[in-house]
Amino acid sequence: MMVRSGSRHLRKTLLSAGAAVALAAGLLAGVSTPSQAAASLSCDVYAAGGTPCVAAHSTTRALYGSYNGALYQVRRSSDNATRDIGLLSAGGYADAAAQDSFCAGTTCLITVIYDQSGRGNHLRQAPPGGFPGPAPGGYDNLANATAAPTMINGHKAYGVYVAPGTGYRNNATNGVAKGDQPEGMYAVFDGTHYNGGCCFDYGNAETNGRDNGNGTMEAIYFGNIKVWGYGTGNGPWVMADLENGLFSGVNPGYNANDPTVSHRYLTAIVKGEPNHWAIRAGNAQSGGLSTFYNGPRPNAPGYNPMKKEGAIILGIGGDNSHGSAGTFYEGVMTSGYPSDATENAVQAGIVAAGYTTTPGGGPGGTLTPGSSISLRATTSCCTDRFIRHQNDRAVTSVITSSSSSVDKNDATWIVRTGLAAASCVSFESKNYPGDYLRHQNYQLYRQHNDGSALFAADATFCPQTGKSGQGVSLASANFPDRFVRHYNNTVYIASEGGSHDFDSASAWADDVSWLVDRPWA
Ligand code: AHR
């Protein structure tokens, strides 16, 4: 029997995101003029709260209203030339077109992620530490510069795509917390890109790339490794990497208040001060932050007081473990322990920045005809499961990077303009061209298009905002009160509280909400 847990709903702000950040930043700064506060970006908000950024990294946007420098550097393979990628305007968004033109006809790697704080805490290719990386000299790999495209406020940009083996580091920083000094940090990640390797981190680490013992690092971790800590569901979880332990709360191992979170754009926060730390997170596209832990240092020796060393890492563990995967868009580290109110204002600014996956970014906006996608379940039991066909039936299966090519192909669909309605979509099988997902007696199958009007209608689904607030829900074109739903790992069209067992109202909103993910094949 599948374990079903209740849906998670993050607090929704009553103010518009832009108004919220303006108001919150204005309050923090002790000013009341919204026009002044409206220009406040993440690090302006932290400064107004008395906890200024000492490092600010982003490949997508400025993190100070006045910043007009380079965001990152790329190197192209054709001639090894490098180019700094800057902003479209001061305090604005990345000039992705500059990257596209510089990298046209060749490939580019991200070589430097510049620190916008003025402290020179730039991130570069991580050197060997406790573990050597896979690149020459034992360095880690650099990220492919085009592997994590995104939109932000209608502008194209690129995130930092961390495949296992990739890592960035700065072992000689300026102003970053040491010892038991207080600090805060946030990062915006792709909540659908993670793995169970150690350790997709952003934050404070050892300055020699080695495991120097409990408490020698303090970083945000995101992923579903269960070797140390974990929370509810199957993960991924936001946890704190404090060295020799990923902590989801006060206990080593399980903490019930740390939920699985998989928002496509995820704000993740860790902060720490003497014998006190917290984990917070939220949907970077809407709403506020939830606090998953706020309390004393872990019930384990060596973490109080902390012995932070002040290096900065991205995509790796403190000892240069590099088995992890994830995508990073932006993040900062602060001097001082930020208040929840400051972070709430930063979150409002992140939401206002407008991360989306495609131009427009509306409901179903990611389902672009012609694109290949995979559909990931969002119910906490099942966030590693994807809709795939198996013996002609549509089911959900756990698919990972080590799944077979057959499984990956079975879980990949080409979005087509709806066979029965141009405003809706159909899903053609990747490995069985001409076959589509269709329902029959309310159950979904992969079947060949017989050209009939009934097949077209049965194979057409109309996307709308996910019923749980996450992803998309897919209404059947000819049974519009029924939505594509997984139930006991089989896929149906279901109406909430209807007469079949698969219509069960329990977990319905989560079961009918799907993340449109990168294609597995
Ligand atoms: O704390 C978890 C990991 O343990 C750290 O990132 C790494 O340095 C060590 O292997």
Side-chain angles (χ1 to χ4, degrees), residues 102-283:
F102 182 71
C103 303
T106 183
T107 54
C108 272
L109 300 173
I110 296 176
T111 36
V112 187
I113 305 165
Y114 291 110
D115 170 23
Q116 301 178 29
S117 78
R119 290 177 174 271
N121 290 327
H122 313 307
L123 292 171
R124 294 188 160 86
Q125 187 168 19
F131 297 96
Y139 279 70
D140 292 347
N141 290 333
L142 293 164
N144 179 323
T146 53
T150 185
M151 299 298 291
I152 181 162
N153 196 23
H155 304 284
K156 185 178 178 188
Y158 294 100
V160 183
Y161 186 88
V162 173
T166 308
Y168 293 82
R169 192 169 197 121
N170 184 330
N171 282 338
T173 61
N174 174 325
V176 178
K178 292 191 171 154
D180 210 20
Q181 289 175 340
E183 67 176 346
M185 62 200 83
Y186 88 82
V188 176
F189 298 136
D190 176 345
T192 68
H193 182 208
Y194 59 90
N195 74 358
C198 175
C199 290
F200 183 72
D201 288 351
Y202 174 72
N204 194 324
E206 297 92 334
T207 51
N208 61 357
R210 295 180 177 275
D211 178 345
N212 293 334
N214 296 3
T216 52
M217 60 182 295
E218 182 170 66
I220 306 167
Y221 165 82
F222 179 68
N224 67 345
I225 192 170
K226 285 180 83 172
V227 170
W228 295 283
Y230 56 99
T232 57
N234 292 332
W237 304 281
V238 178
M239 298 190 274
D241 190 343
L242 304 180
E243 191 48 273
N244 298 316
L246 304 175
F247 289 90
S248 55
V250 76
N251 302 312
Y254 177 66
N255 288 281
N257 284 333
D258 199 26
T260 290
V261 280
S262 54
H263 303 291
R264 172 62 179 81
Y265 295 92
L266 170 74
T267 307
I269 286 178
V270 165
K271 53 183 171 180
E273 60 181 350
N275 199 21
H276 184 212
W277 66 288
I279 304 173
R280 308 184 75 209
N283 184 344

